[in-house]
Amino acid sequence: MKSSFEGQPSANFFHEFGPPSQVIPVEPETFGDRPGSATTVDNKELYYYWSSINKKTAHLTRKASDRECQLALRTTAEGDIRWIEVLAENDQAEAALAYCSSVVR
């Protein structure tokens, strides 16, 4: 998903839209056929999983028709957003992308 937040600090995104629901470090990728081969990922890179229903939005009244936007954000070791991906079932991918694009610009 394209967003104006790509390349910006992840703190900017979370300040505006609320905290992530989960943070997971990126697993180092090892290449080569021997144990101890070189790794290619800085272990400070993170995946943030974010939902539009979070602590910041919990007080809002919701209708049954309200949808949830779920995103995965990958950050660099410096904390800048590398990319944002919409999380959805295959049959809901287009609708989820359209909805999340309206929530997060």
Side-chain angles (χ1 to χ4, degrees):
M1 177 179 116
K2 291 291 180 197
S3 171
S4 61
F5 285 94
E6 288 180 6
Q8 292 189 29
S10 58
N12 294 356
F13 180 93
F14 300 125
H15 176 73
E16 183 157 342
F17 297 109
S21 56
Q22 190 173 18
V23 181
I24 299 174
V26 174
E27 291 293 322
E29 298 173 13
T30 304
F31 294 95
D33 56 359
R34 286 186 257 144
S37 297
T39 58
T40 61
V41 174
D42 187 330
N43 62 359
K44 294 178 185 139
E45 291 186 8
L46 299 171
Y47 285 111
Y48 289 93
Y49 292 95
W50 177 86
S51 171
S52 59
I53 300 174
N54 59 50
K55 289 179 186 177
K56 188 171 184 171
T57 63
H59 70 283
L60 301 175
T61 304
R62 301 200 182 285
K63 299 177 278 181
S65 62
D66 284 351
R67 299 167 71 184
E68 180 178 17
C69 173
Q70 295 184 344
L71 302 174
L73 295 82
R74 179 157 176 187
T75 61
T76 64
E78 293 77 27
D80 295 334
I81 296 174
R82 184 179 294 235
W83 51 254
I84 300 174
E85 183 177 324
V86 176
L87 303 176
E89 299 293 326
N90 285 341
D91 60 339
Q92 300 293 318
E94 287 185 34
L97 177 60
Y99 178 69
C100 289
S101 294
S102 72
V103 173
V104 177
R105 60 200 178 292

